[in-house]
Amino acid sequence: MSTSFLAPAMMIASGSIHAVVNAILKGGKDKMAGRAIIDGSSAVILLPATLLVPLPEGAWGWLATTAVLHSLYLFALVRALETSDFSAAYPILRGTAPLITAALAIGVFGEPASPRELIGIGCIGAAMFVMVSGRHIEARGLAWALFTGVMIASYTVIDAQGVRAAPTPMSFIVWMFVLMGSVTVTMFGLVSRGAIFASAVKQWRPGVIAGALSILTYGLALSAFALGPTAPLAALRETGMVTALLIATFVLKERVTPARAVGVLGILAGAVLILTR
């Protein structure tokens, strides 16, 4: 399989699996406990692998930076899912990321933009307006979803650099998951004053499943970044929003209005347009 096909295929699979992980989180009663189980179990699963991969020499700074960004991302993600429907919050927090990435690349770093890419940015912006209009999401949920999207865009850029700086992609992937598991459990344990540990006992099974899937989804994404350019691959990952819409409709039994469905498909269309050069 050629690299030009492998990296996009990894990202498409990563996007769908990511939607499943977050649907499991949304379905849990205690979102903080759920996220702590997901990241904690990912760390436990990969802990033995730290003996099999080289130390991430050259990438420690990237790992420290991504630990901070991921902590902010996870806290905002929990708040977004606590205050909003999955089918409303998830497309916004995911759709914001490629929009910001493209805006920075074009507006700040002066990268050339084709008419197709500009149309894609417009599609995402218009689709997000559809999502937030008509009371599809409340102001508080919108704020958390947008902040989550900013953090996604930030850690995506950092992690893409880190996975390329490490001796091997697996070195960065393994150490990142182990570090993040420790940070996440500690953070939510402190924020909840230990309450998450009692809740974790009641919902650990789906959390462990989501933890294993979390390794798969972001492992695929980081492996893809090691093979290709960051911005188009990050945009392609947003195809997972279609999976998220299907889960929200048929599993979580959320009411997905026509306008909300149009918003999701518009964000997806914009991501595809940004990707296609």
Side-chain angles (χ1 to χ4, degrees):
M1 186 180 294
S2 66
T3 299
S4 60
F5 177 79
L6 181 60
M10 284 179 171
M11 275 302 189
I12 292 172
S14 174
S16 290
I17 298 169
H18 187 272
V20 173
V21 170
N22 282 277
I24 292 174
L25 176 62
K26 174 62 177 176
K29 185 176 181 180
D30 188 326
K31 306 299 186 293
M32 281 192 184
R35 195 65 235 191
I37 298 167
I38 291 171
D39 291 279
S41 60
S42 296
V44 171
I45 291 169
L46 286 181
L47 185 60
T50 59
L51 302 175
L52 304 176
V53 298
L55 290 172
E57 300 293 346
W60 288 114
W62 299 114
L63 282 168
T65 303
T66 199
V68 174
L69 294 174
H70 269 86
S71 297
L72 294 172
Y73 152 69
L74 292 173
F75 185 85
L77 173 65
V78 165
R79 293 304 190 196
L81 294 181
E82 285 177 340
T83 55
S84 308
D85 282 352
F86 183 66
S87 56
Y90 190 79
I92 293 173
L93 64 90
R94 292 304 316 179
T96 305
L99 181 63
I100 293 173
T101 301
L104 288 173
I106 296 167
V108 177
F109 297 103
E111 295 184 11
S114 68
R116 184 184 296 269
E117 289 171 323
L118 293 175
I119 293 172
I121 294 172
C123 278
I124 293 177
M128 288 181 61
F129 177 77
V130 171
M131 290 295 299
V132 303
S133 64
R135 297 182 179 272
H136 294 301
I137 187 169
E138 294 182 358
R140 184 175 56 170
L142 173 62
W144 283 118
L146 289 173
F147 184 70
T148 304
V150 172
M151 291 300 100
I152 290 172
S154 301
Y155 78 62
T156 296
V157 174
I158 295 300
D159 289 350
Q161 297 299 317
V163 77
R164 295 164 189 158
T168 66
M170 282 306 300
S171 173
F172 185 85
I173 292 169
V174 166
W175 281 96
M176 190 206 76
F177 273 105
V178 171
L179 176 62
M180 278 311 307
S182 304
V183 171
T184 303
V185 172
T186 301
M187 175 180 69
F188 286 136
L190 292 173
V191 170
S192 69
R193 298 183 180 180
I196 62 165
F197 300 110
S199 298
V201 174
K202 302 175 183 178
Q203 59 186 75
W204 68 269
R205 288 182 179 85
V208 170
I209 293 171
L213 291 175
S214 183
I215 295 172
L216 183 58
T217 178
Y218 207 50
L220 284 170
L222 290 177
S223 297
F225 285 141
L227 299 174
T230 303
L233 288 173
L236 188 57
R237 197 179 186 215
E238 307 319 314
T239 54
M241 284 184 287
V242 175
T243 302
L245 180 63
L246 294 174
I247 293 171
T249 303
F250 297 107
V251 179
L252 298 178
K253 305 300 183 182
E254 293 181 0
R255 178 175 169 267
V256 181
T257 64
R260 187 175 292 181
V262 168
V264 171
L265 295 176
I267 291 172
L268 174 61
V272 171
L273 286 169
I274 292 172
L275 170 66
T276 307
R277 291 174 179 266

